[in-house]
Amino acid sequence: MDALPEFRLVRPPSLGEVVKARAENPAAQLLGGGTDLLVNIRRGIVAPPILIDINNVEEMRTLKANADTIEIGAAVTLAELAAHPEVAMHYPVLAQAAACIAGPTQRHMGTVGGNLALDTRCLFYNQSEWWRFANNHCLKTTGDICHVAPKSRGICFATFSGDLAPALMTLGAQLDLVGPAGARSIALPLLYIGYARQDEPITQSQGDGKHYLALRPGELIRSVRAKNTPGLRSGYDKIRIRRSIEYPVTGVAVALRREGDVLAELRVAFTGTNPRPVLLEGTGALCGGALDARVFDGLERLVRDQIMSMKTTFTPGHYRRRVAGVLARRLLMRLFEESTPVA
Ligand SMILES: Cc1cc2nc3c(=O)[nH]c(=O)nc-3n(C[C@H](O)[C@H](O)[C@H](O)COP(=O)(O)OP(=O)(O)OC[C@H]3O[C@@H](n4cnc5c(N)ncnc54)[C@H](O)[C@@H]3O)c2cc1C
Ligand code: SF4
């Protein structure tokens, strides 16, 4: 590994000062726990001259959860989220997702904001400078082509691998953003614009994969909020190569509501497969009946259509897609069985 290059570290004490520091230094980057950013700086992938540490900002350290709502500041750590008793009780999908991220050291340092804004990953990108140089770099940095898909016509397929986003998507989470132009809230899925579809035009809400977040210049994540749905049962599961300190090969979040023997509501979201976390579209059509072959076949079809893994990790894309389907099905069955039937 290379030595860390020079950079300046600033530690603003308030949200207003973070926004000001960010606006004054467009090349600066926010520093949460640094568990991903510092690795990328050390590898020469990014070289921000200034890091703006958000960990002293009280407004970003809120963690409030009860049976009705949850609000999590962007500077809350993954370990704090995983250990919060009300989160585990009312929002198990979140506690479970946080608890299986990386290892204890990264969870102690890593933040919710950093996890949601995590850079996308690829086996040609997350490498040392000399390795990338030897391969003439790639589209995502300074190169001309995508080594994963040489005919990609400017599209990068690097994969989003954060575990919290799919969990929060199944809860219908809203993001609170703040920037030089003021504050705004958006539905979480709208943050992720890494569509990487060659058959569709690139727009403000459909990026080319190199641009994977809808944050405006100087904008940052302040917090994320969700409401509880009475009777919703949720959980998270993931497959990884090692059982700890490892990104997901694929991760799945499921939230469902059971009424008697009927599957009344179903939400399924994935990470580790596409250039963005995917909240499956079309699960509503699988509801309204028993949990039977119609649901399982339908789920399989939705996964096949919407999960488009490319060879961006050491595991083949088609394997990740199959694992995604199997994980989702198993979790769906477990949660349905565990749900107390509501007549
Ligand atoms: C060995 C190892 C294994 C890992 N395994 C996993 C895993 O299994 N699952 C997983 O999800 N992650 C994994 N990670 C990645 C990382 O540890 C976590 O995603 C962590 O939550 C990142 O948070 P952070 O605060 O450290 O982010 P940082 O590294 O500080 O920042 C990451 C990015 O987010 C930006 N950012 C930070 N805060 C904000 C904000 N409030 N608003 C806007 N942008 C912001 C930064 O500028 C940077 O671009 C792993 C890392 C390592 C080193
Ligand atoms: S998918 Fe292609 S362009 Fe994107 S990081 Fe990998 S090799 Fe580079």
Side-chain angles (χ1 to χ4, degrees):
M1 276 232 175
D2 301 324
L4 272 178
E6 292 282 325
F7 55 77
R8 195 155 66 82
L9 181 65
V10 294
R11 293 191 152 131
S14 69
L15 186 57
E17 289 185 55
V18 170
V19 174
K20 186 164 171 276
R22 190 95 168 79
E24 285 170 358
N25 303 285
Q29 261 188 271
L30 292 185
L31 178 72
T35 58
D36 192 60
L37 180 57
L38 287 182
V39 179
N40 288 352
I41 293 175
R42 192 178 278 271
R43 284 183 165 155
I45 291 173
V46 287
I50 300 175
L51 295 185
I52 304 171
D53 183 346
I54 57 163
N55 291 288
N56 292 337
V57 178
E58 222 27 67
E59 299 105 303
M60 295 174 83
R61 300 257 325 127
T62 309
L63 177 48
K64 288 190 270 187
N66 57 38
D68 301 321
T69 56
I70 181 165
E71 182 185 345
I72 315 160
V76 168
T77 67
L78 302 170
E80 287 167 336
L81 184 63
H84 197 285
E86 300 283 320
V87 177
M89 182 179 303
H90 303 296
Y91 309 92
V93 65
L94 258 187
Q96 289 166 23
C100 68
I101 292 172
T105 317
Q106 291 88 5
R107 290 196 294 273
H108 182 70
M109 296 296 293
T111 63
V112 169
N115 192 264
L116 293 175
L118 196 63
D119 195 0
T120 52
R121 299 181 65 74
C122 172
L123 81 171
F124 289 99
Y125 173 71
N126 297 93
Q127 300 287 352
S128 61
E129 167 64 22
W130 65 263
W131 197 97
R132 286 179 295 115
F133 175 75
N135 282 285
N136 284 331
H137 297 271
C138 75
L139 273 185
K140 192 172 178 192
T141 50
T142 53
D144 296 327
I145 63 159
C146 167
H147 300 299
V148 168
K151 293 184 181 159
S152 79
R153 301 196 301 266
I155 302 281
C156 163
F157 294 93
T159 305
F160 182 83
S161 302
D163 283 290
L164 290 185
L168 282 159
M169 282 178 175
T170 61
L171 299 175
Q174 287 280 323
L175 267 191
D176 296 322
L177 306 175
V178 57
R184 64 179 176 129
S185 291
I186 58 168
L188 180 59
L190 298 182
L191 178 67
Y192 300 105
I193 57 170
Y195 277 69
R197 297 286 300 251
Q198 291 156 304
D199 50 349
E200 290 174 15
I202 292 166
T203 65
Q204 237 188 352
S205 57
Q206 297 199 167
D208 57 4
K210 288 181 283 181
H211 303 105
Y212 47 90
L213 296 179
L215 293 177
R216 293 173 182 162
E219 203 169 48
L220 57 106
I221 301 167
R222 176 204 171 135
S223 53
V224 57
R225 287 175 289 117
K227 289 193 181 117
N228 203 358
T229 305
L232 196 75
R233 190 156 193 112
S234 66
Y236 191 77
D237 201 1
K238 82 192 236 192
I239 293 276
R240 43 187 162 178
I241 291 171
R242 297 176 298 208
R243 288 184 67 83
S244 183
I245 324 181
E246 187 70 285
Y247 288 89
V249 167
T250 177
V252 59
V254 173
L256 62 81
R257 219 163 36 77
R258 174 177 175 170
E259 286 175 4
D261 284 334
V262 170
L263 178 65
E265 195 174 346
L266 177 65
R267 307 171 198 165
V268 184
F270 294 94
T271 189
T273 55
N274 295 37
R276 62 186 173 119
V278 177
L279 178 63
L280 270 197
E281 288 174 16
T283 52
L286 308 179
C287 300
L291 188 66
D292 55 15
R294 185 188 65 90
V295 177
F296 297 134
D297 292 349
L299 182 62
E300 187 63 42
R301 256 195 317 277
L302 296 180
V303 169
R304 227 175 19 238
D305 288 351
Q306 295 172 49
I307 298 304
M308 47 166 290
S309 303
M310 300 288 284
K311 182 84 178 70
T312 51
T313 72
F314 292 106
T315 34
H318 68 272
Y319 173 77
R320 275 146 70 209
R321 180 153 58 178
R322 287 202 57 186
V323 165
V326 171
L327 269 190
R329 179 185 171 133
R330 281 190 197 156
L331 189 53
L332 164 59
M333 286 166 68
R334 178 162 68 73
L335 290 170
F336 191 80
E337 275 164 24
E338 287 171 3
S339 299
T340 317
V342 179

PDB file of all heavy atoms in Angstrom, residues 138-160:
ATOM      1  N   CYS A 138      -9.352   2.847 -16.054  1.00  0.00           N
ATOM      2  CA  CYS A 138     -10.636   2.531 -16.690  1.00  0.00           C
ATOM      3  C   CYS A 138     -11.509   3.778 -16.673  1.00  0.00           C
ATOM      4  O   CYS A 138     -11.173   4.775 -16.045  1.00  0.00           O
ATOM      5  CB  CYS A 138     -11.322   1.354 -15.991  1.00  0.00           C
ATOM      6  SG  CYS A 138     -12.055   1.797 -14.408  1.00  0.00           S
ATOM      7  N   LEU A 139     -12.646   3.667 -17.339  1.00  0.00           N
ATOM      8  CA  LEU A 139     -13.587   4.794 -17.469  1.00  0.00           C
ATOM      9  C   LEU A 139     -13.886   5.537 -16.175  1.00  0.00           C
ATOM     10  O   LEU A 139     -14.079   6.735 -16.181  1.00  0.00           O
ATOM     11  CB  LEU A 139     -14.942   4.222 -17.884  1.00  0.00           C
ATOM     12  CG  LEU A 139     -15.289   4.004 -19.328  1.00  0.00           C
ATOM     13  CD1 LEU A 139     -16.730   3.540 -19.375  1.00  0.00           C
ATOM     14  CD2 LEU A 139     -15.129   5.298 -20.092  1.00  0.00           C
ATOM     15  N   LYS A 140     -13.980   4.778 -15.083  1.00  0.00           N
ATOM     16  CA  LYS A 140     -14.453   5.420 -13.854  1.00  0.00           C
ATOM     17  C   LYS A 140     -13.449   6.444 -13.330  1.00  0.00           C
ATOM     18  O   LYS A 140     -13.807   7.364 -12.607  1.00  0.00           O
ATOM     19  CB  LYS A 140     -14.760   4.370 -12.785  1.00  0.00           C
ATOM     20  CG  LYS A 140     -15.516   4.990 -11.622  1.00  0.00           C
ATOM     21  CD  LYS A 140     -16.030   3.994 -10.617  1.00  0.00           C
ATOM     22  CE  LYS A 140     -16.712   4.780  -9.509  1.00  0.00           C
ATOM     23  NZ  LYS A 140     -17.009   3.986  -8.342  1.00  0.00           N
ATOM     24  N   THR A 141     -12.160   6.249 -13.691  1.00  0.00           N
ATOM     25  CA  THR A 141     -11.166   7.229 -13.249  1.00  0.00           C
ATOM     26  C   THR A 141     -10.640   7.995 -14.476  1.00  0.00           C
ATOM     27  O   THR A 141     -11.308   8.884 -14.958  1.00  0.00           O
ATOM     28  CB  THR A 141     -10.033   6.546 -12.459  1.00  0.00           C
ATOM     29  OG1 THR A 141      -9.544   5.437 -13.212  1.00  0.00           O
ATOM     30  CG2 THR A 141     -10.521   6.057 -11.103  1.00  0.00           C
ATOM     31  N   THR A 142      -9.485   7.605 -14.976  1.00  0.00           N
ATOM     32  CA  THR A 142      -8.906   8.404 -16.072  1.00  0.00           C
ATOM     33  C   THR A 142      -8.755   7.622 -17.365  1.00  0.00           C
ATOM     34  O   THR A 142      -8.199   8.132 -18.330  1.00  0.00           O
ATOM     35  CB  THR A 142      -7.517   8.921 -15.650  1.00  0.00           C
ATOM     36  OG1 THR A 142      -6.743   7.802 -15.211  1.00  0.00           O
ATOM     37  CG2 THR A 142      -7.618   9.934 -14.525  1.00  0.00           C
ATOM     38  N   GLY A 143      -9.229   6.381 -17.393  1.00  0.00           N
ATOM     39  CA  GLY A 143      -9.036   5.552 -18.591  1.00  0.00           C
ATOM     40  C   GLY A 143     -10.132   5.761 -19.631  1.00  0.00           C
ATOM     41  O   GLY A 143     -11.052   6.563 -19.455  1.00  0.00           O
ATOM     42  N   ASP A 144     -10.011   5.011 -20.740  1.00  0.00           N
ATOM     43  CA  ASP A 144     -10.936   5.201 -21.861  1.00  0.00           C
ATOM     44  C   ASP A 144     -12.018   4.137 -21.943  1.00  0.00           C
ATOM     45  O   ASP A 144     -13.058   4.357 -22.528  1.00  0.00           O
ATOM     46  CB  ASP A 144     -10.164   5.147 -23.202  1.00  0.00           C
ATOM     47  CG  ASP A 144      -9.177   6.286 -23.293  1.00  0.00           C
ATOM     48  OD1 ASP A 144      -9.494   7.350 -22.742  1.00  0.00           O
ATOM     49  OD2 ASP A 144      -8.106   6.090 -23.898  1.00  0.00           O
ATOM     50  N   ILE A 145     -11.703   2.946 -21.428  1.00  0.00           N
ATOM     51  CA  ILE A 145     -12.706   1.888 -21.598  1.00  0.00           C
ATOM     52  C   ILE A 145     -13.051   1.242 -20.259  1.00  0.00           C
ATOM     53  O   ILE A 145     -12.348   1.390 -19.268  1.00  0.00           O
ATOM     54  CB  ILE A 145     -12.249   0.781 -22.583  1.00  0.00           C
ATOM     55  CG1 ILE A 145     -11.003   0.059 -22.037  1.00  0.00           C
ATOM     56  CG2 ILE A 145     -12.027   1.306 -23.969  1.00  0.00           C
ATOM     57  CD1 ILE A 145     -10.819  -1.312 -22.670  1.00  0.00           C
ATOM     58  N   CYS A 146     -14.165   0.526 -20.310  1.00  0.00           N
ATOM     59  CA  CYS A 146     -14.585  -0.280 -19.163  1.00  0.00           C
ATOM     60  C   CYS A 146     -14.048  -1.690 -19.403  1.00  0.00           C
ATOM     61  O   CYS A 146     -14.359  -2.297 -20.430  1.00  0.00           O
ATOM     62  CB  CYS A 146     -16.105  -0.278 -19.077  1.00  0.00           C
ATOM     63  SG  CYS A 146     -16.740  -1.513 -17.948  1.00  0.00           S
ATOM     64  N   HIS A 147     -13.249  -2.190 -18.474  1.00  0.00           N
ATOM     65  CA  HIS A 147     -12.676  -3.541 -18.670  1.00  0.00           C
ATOM     66  C   HIS A 147     -13.713  -4.633 -18.451  1.00  0.00           C
ATOM     67  O   HIS A 147     -13.554  -5.743 -18.941  1.00  0.00           O
ATOM     68  CB  HIS A 147     -11.502  -3.759 -17.706  1.00  0.00           C
ATOM     69  CG  HIS A 147     -10.399  -2.767 -17.901  1.00  0.00           C
ATOM     70  ND1 HIS A 147      -9.707  -2.653 -19.078  1.00  0.00           N
ATOM     71  CD2 HIS A 147      -9.896  -1.818 -17.062  1.00  0.00           C
ATOM     72  CE1 HIS A 147      -8.807  -1.693 -18.978  1.00  0.00           C
ATOM     73  NE2 HIS A 147      -8.905  -1.161 -17.757  1.00  0.00           N
ATOM     74  N   VAL A 148     -14.767  -4.314 -17.722  1.00  0.00           N
ATOM     75  CA  VAL A 148     -15.832  -5.297 -17.487  1.00  0.00           C
ATOM     76  C   VAL A 148     -16.658  -5.474 -18.763  1.00  0.00           C
ATOM     77  O   VAL A 148     -17.040  -6.579 -19.123  1.00  0.00           O
ATOM     78  CB  VAL A 148     -16.732  -4.846 -16.314  1.00  0.00           C
ATOM     79  CG1 VAL A 148     -17.997  -5.679 -16.234  1.00  0.00           C
ATOM     80  CG2 VAL A 148     -15.954  -4.928 -15.006  1.00  0.00           C
ATOM     81  N   ALA A 149     -16.938  -4.346 -19.426  1.00  0.00           N
ATOM     82  CA  ALA A 149     -17.743  -4.378 -20.651  1.00  0.00           C
ATOM     83  C   ALA A 149     -17.108  -3.409 -21.645  1.00  0.00           C
ATOM     84  O   ALA A 149     -17.515  -2.252 -21.731  1.00  0.00           O
ATOM     85  CB  ALA A 149     -19.180  -3.994 -20.355  1.00  0.00           C
ATOM     86  N   PRO A 150     -16.093  -3.865 -22.401  1.00  0.00           N
ATOM     87  CA  PRO A 150     -15.350  -2.953 -23.285  1.00  0.00           C
ATOM     88  C   PRO A 150     -16.226  -2.220 -24.300  1.00  0.00           C
ATOM     89  O   PRO A 150     -15.856  -1.169 -24.788  1.00  0.00           O
ATOM     90  CB  PRO A 150     -14.351  -3.887 -23.986  1.00  0.00           C
ATOM     91  CG  PRO A 150     -14.189  -5.035 -23.043  1.00  0.00           C
ATOM     92  CD  PRO A 150     -15.506  -5.214 -22.360  1.00  0.00           C
ATOM     93  N   LYS A 151     -17.425  -2.762 -24.589  1.00  0.00           N
ATOM     94  CA  LYS A 151     -18.310  -2.048 -25.536  1.00  0.00           C
ATOM     95  C   LYS A 151     -19.383  -1.262 -24.791  1.00  0.00           C
ATOM     96  O   LYS A 151     -20.487  -1.048 -25.318  1.00  0.00           O
ATOM     97  CB  LYS A 151     -18.962  -3.052 -26.484  1.00  0.00           C
ATOM     98  CG  LYS A 151     -17.957  -3.717 -27.416  1.00  0.00           C
ATOM     99  CD  LYS A 151     -18.646  -4.629 -28.395  1.00  0.00           C
ATOM    100  CE  LYS A 151     -17.626  -5.296 -29.293  1.00  0.00           C
ATOM    101  NZ  LYS A 151     -18.131  -6.501 -29.911  1.00  0.00           N
ATOM    102  N   SER A 152     -19.088  -0.840 -23.568  1.00  0.00           N
ATOM    103  CA  SER A 152     -20.145  -0.231 -22.743  1.00  0.00           C
ATOM    104  C   SER A 152     -20.508   1.190 -23.155  1.00  0.00           C
ATOM    105  O   SER A 152     -21.425   1.773 -22.609  1.00  0.00           O
ATOM    106  CB  SER A 152     -19.725  -0.233 -21.267  1.00  0.00           C
ATOM    107  OG  SER A 152     -18.821   0.822 -21.011  1.00  0.00           O
ATOM    108  N   ARG A 153     -19.796   1.767 -24.097  1.00  0.00           N
ATOM    109  CA  ARG A 153     -20.097   3.119 -24.605  1.00  0.00           C
ATOM    110  C   ARG A 153     -20.236   4.143 -23.476  1.00  0.00           C
ATOM    111  O   ARG A 153     -21.254   4.801 -23.319  1.00  0.00           O
ATOM    112  CB  ARG A 153     -21.375   3.096 -25.460  1.00  0.00           C
ATOM    113  CG  ARG A 153     -21.289   2.165 -26.665  1.00  0.00           C
ATOM    114  CD  ARG A 153     -22.389   2.460 -27.672  1.00  0.00           C
ATOM    115  NE  ARG A 153     -23.724   2.318 -27.130  1.00  0.00           N
ATOM    116  CZ  ARG A 153     -24.452   1.213 -27.210  1.00  0.00           C
ATOM    117  NH1 ARG A 153     -23.959   0.159 -27.809  1.00  0.00           N
ATOM    118  NH2 ARG A 153     -25.652   1.166 -26.698  1.00  0.00           N
ATOM    119  N   GLY A 154     -19.203   4.215 -22.620  1.00  0.00           N
ATOM    120  CA  GLY A 154     -19.172   5.260 -21.599  1.00  0.00           C
ATOM    121  C   GLY A 154     -19.863   4.912 -20.301  1.00  0.00           C
ATOM    122  O   GLY A 154     -19.907   5.714 -19.377  1.00  0.00           O
ATOM    123  N   ILE A 155     -20.429   3.727 -20.208  1.00  0.00           N
ATOM    124  CA  ILE A 155     -21.155   3.333 -18.997  1.00  0.00           C
ATOM    125  C   ILE A 155     -20.234   2.532 -18.079  1.00  0.00           C
ATOM    126  O   ILE A 155     -19.505   1.657 -18.530  1.00  0.00           O
ATOM    127  CB  ILE A 155     -22.370   2.443 -19.359  1.00  0.00           C
ATOM    128  CG1 ILE A 155     -23.309   3.171 -20.317  1.00  0.00           C
ATOM    129  CG2 ILE A 155     -23.086   1.968 -18.126  1.00  0.00           C
ATOM    130  CD1 ILE A 155     -24.218   4.168 -19.698  1.00  0.00           C
ATOM    131  N   CYS A 156     -20.294   2.839 -16.779  1.00  0.00           N
ATOM    132  CA  CYS A 156     -19.551   2.084 -15.764  1.00  0.00           C
ATOM    133  C   CYS A 156     -20.532   1.205 -14.993  1.00  0.00           C
ATOM    134  O   CYS A 156     -21.605   1.657 -14.597  1.00  0.00           O
ATOM    135  CB  CYS A 156     -18.844   3.071 -14.825  1.00  0.00           C
ATOM    136  SG  CYS A 156     -18.293   2.345 -13.274  1.00  0.00           S
ATOM    137  N   PHE A 157     -20.150  -0.043 -14.797  1.00  0.00           N
ATOM    138  CA  PHE A 157     -21.039  -0.991 -14.128  1.00  0.00           C
ATOM    139  C   PHE A 157     -20.630  -1.294 -12.685  1.00  0.00           C
ATOM    140  O   PHE A 157     -21.112  -2.258 -12.101  1.00  0.00           O
ATOM    141  CB  PHE A 157     -21.081  -2.310 -14.914  1.00  0.00           C
ATOM    142  CG  PHE A 157     -21.710  -2.181 -16.265  1.00  0.00           C
ATOM    143  CD1 PHE A 157     -20.941  -1.941 -17.390  1.00  0.00           C
ATOM    144  CD2 PHE A 157     -23.073  -2.271 -16.411  1.00  0.00           C
ATOM    145  CE1 PHE A 157     -21.523  -1.803 -18.638  1.00  0.00           C
ATOM    146  CE2 PHE A 157     -23.669  -2.133 -17.657  1.00  0.00           C
ATOM    147  CZ  PHE A 157     -22.884  -1.895 -18.774  1.00  0.00           C
ATOM    148  N   ALA A 158     -19.718  -0.486 -12.113  1.00  0.00           N
ATOM    149  CA  ALA A 158     -19.264  -0.760 -10.742  1.00  0.00           C
ATOM    150  C   ALA A 158     -20.479  -0.900  -9.814  1.00  0.00           C
ATOM    151  O   ALA A 158     -21.496  -0.244 -10.000  1.00  0.00           O
ATOM    152  CB  ALA A 158     -18.342   0.366 -10.273  1.00  0.00           C
ATOM    153  N   THR A 159     -20.336  -1.765  -8.822  1.00  0.00           N
ATOM    154  CA  THR A 159     -21.491  -2.219  -8.037  1.00  0.00           C
ATOM    155  C   THR A 159     -21.641  -1.463  -6.720  1.00  0.00           C
ATOM    156  O   THR A 159     -20.655  -1.249  -6.011  1.00  0.00           O
ATOM    157  CB  THR A 159     -21.287  -3.720  -7.717  1.00  0.00           C
ATOM    158  OG1 THR A 159     -21.091  -4.401  -8.943  1.00  0.00           O
ATOM    159  CG2 THR A 159     -22.473  -4.306  -6.987  1.00  0.00           C
ATOM    160  N   PHE A 160     -22.871  -1.122  -6.395  1.00  0.00           N
ATOM    161  CA  PHE A 160     -23.134  -0.547  -5.068  1.00  0.00           C
ATOM    162  C   PHE A 160     -23.225  -1.698  -4.067  1.00  0.00           C
ATOM    163  O   PHE A 160     -23.960  -2.657  -4.283  1.00  0.00           O
ATOM    164  CB  PHE A 160     -24.441   0.262  -5.071  1.00  0.00           C
ATOM    165  CG  PHE A 160     -24.691   0.894  -3.732  1.00  0.00           C
ATOM    166  CD1 PHE A 160     -24.076   2.095  -3.401  1.00  0.00           C
ATOM    167  CD2 PHE A 160     -25.486   0.265  -2.786  1.00  0.00           C
ATOM    168  CE1 PHE A 160     -24.261   2.669  -2.151  1.00  0.00           C
ATOM    169  CE2 PHE A 160     -25.675   0.834  -1.532  1.00  0.00           C
ATOM    170  CZ  PHE A 160     -25.058   2.045  -1.220  1.00  0.00           C
TER     171      PHE A 160
END
